Amino acid sequence: VDNYILSIFFINENTGWALSWDVFPDSGSFFGTIILRTTNGGDNWDRSMFPDSNRFLKSVYFLDQMNGFAGGAPGGVFKTSDGGINWALTETDSASTFILPVENFKFLDSQTGYACGGFRDLAGSMWKTTNGGNLWKISIVGPEPLNDLYINNSNKLIAVGGDFEYGSSYVKTTNSGDNWIYDTLGIFGVSSSIDFRTITEAWISVGQKFVYSLDTGNSWRSVFTPDSIRIEDICFTDTSHGWAVGY
């Protein structure tokens, strides 16, 4: 592909998917979303075009080798049951918020999952499914879009985002998404990712700063990244090892 890889997801050491956009570099004309799939650990990738050329897909997530989800702009969640060959638009409980882009997915189990997203200066939104992604219930939870989320357990979840006008923000729930608490982090910039190193220690990337919590998100502190490098994503593989990537 000639453009950025927007999202990548592996279900094991061999099988993974990635998204990119087919954009003509000189004119900026959009030709559709490219779906890439590998079954040999990334040595080779099969390329296909998403059938709806009006969709800018941003995030991909799979439960197993057959069942997966993709979302982007405009809003709506697409589901595949054949490994990404065919995609169908799932149901959403509110047509009025259908345009809000989907930024990321996380699943608690095969039936219960969440997605986050929204649109700048309009709304931050959370989606929830309890039937394997066939129907999604959307909630408007804040004024700014949300870019990433983390599921602590069946009751607790936190999502982060913001914009450059209002700064970084987050929402959290302690009752499986029935109610959401919105708050700001007090840091200029946009929160792009969140992960937990331990059960109680969370890390968020906010541009040239890390914001971290030692009490499951009740209070937050910040520290500059090494050499003030801009960080876009964080992932901990265990309590001792983590990765932060950016530019």
Side-chain angles (χ1 to χ4, degrees):
V1 298
D2 297 321
N3 298 291
Y4 296 117
I5 299 294
L6 298 164
S7 178
I8 188 166
F9 187 89
F10 275 76
I11 57 169
N12 54 44
E13 64 182 15
N14 291 314
T15 305
W17 294 260
L19 301 178
S20 184
W21 292 345
D22 191 4
V23 179
F24 193 71
D26 294 330
S27 65
S29 298
F30 177 69
F31 295 106
T33 299
I34 302 167
I35 300 176
L36 303 170
R37 183 173 186 259
T38 180
T39 56
N40 59 5
D43 290 336
N44 303 101
W45 295 83
D46 295 324
R47 169 181 167 144
S48 63
M49 296 299 296
F50 188 73
D52 187 346
S53 61
N54 295 315
R55 296 280 174 176
F56 290 76
L57 296 182
K58 299 180 178 181
S59 182
V60 61
Y61 187 102
F62 272 76
L63 296 172
D64 51 46
Q65 296 207 32
M66 293 290 114
N67 297 287
F69 303 89
V77 176
F78 287 85
K79 181 178 181 179
T80 180
S81 300
D82 55 13
I85 299 173
N86 298 289
W87 297 85
L89 183 63
T90 61
E91 291 187 63
T92 305
D93 69 336
S94 175
S96 62
T97 55
F98 183 75
I99 64 170
L100 295 175
V102 177
E103 297 289 343
N104 229 320
F105 296 94
K106 294 286 168 61
F107 272 74
L108 177 67
D109 51 44
S110 62
Q111 296 299 306
T112 304
Y114 296 85
C116 65
F119 197 84
R120 185 179 61 190
D121 296 333
L122 181 60
S125 48
M126 295 295 303
W127 291 260
K128 181 182 179 181
T129 180
T130 55
N131 64 354
N134 295 309
L135 173 66
W136 295 82
K137 179 182 178 181
I138 187 171
S139 301
I140 303 302
V141 296
E144 301 99 33
L146 299 162
N147 297 316
D148 196 16
L149 66 156
Y150 184 88
I151 301 175
N152 301 88
N153 53 48
S154 60
N155 294 316
K156 298 180 66 176
L157 181 146
I158 185 169
V160 299
D163 65 31
F164 286 106
E165 182 179 359
Y166 295 100
S168 296
S169 58
Y170 69 97
V171 297
K172 61 181 180 179
T173 180
T174 57
N175 57 9
S176 304
D178 291 337
N179 303 101
W180 295 89
I181 299 171
Y182 166 86
D183 202 356
T184 60
L185 290 169
I187 300 293
F188 177 78
V190 177
S191 301
S192 57
S193 64
I194 180 172
D195 201 9
F196 275 66
R197 187 184 69 86
T198 68
I199 295 176
T200 57
E201 184 181 312
W203 287 78
I204 299 173
S205 61
V206 187
Q208 295 171 305
K209 285 186 176 181
F210 292 118
V211 179
Y212 65 96
S213 173
L214 303 178
D215 54 12
T216 323
N218 294 316
S219 60
W220 299 91
R221 305 173 185 176
S222 66
V223 61
F224 280 101
T225 64
D227 299 323
S228 296
I229 294 172
R230 182 178 179 86
I231 297 299
E232 292 291 335
D233 203 1
I234 298 174
C235 178
F236 287 96
T237 54
D238 55 45
T239 58
S240 298
H241 301 88
W243 298 86
V245 297
Y247 57 93

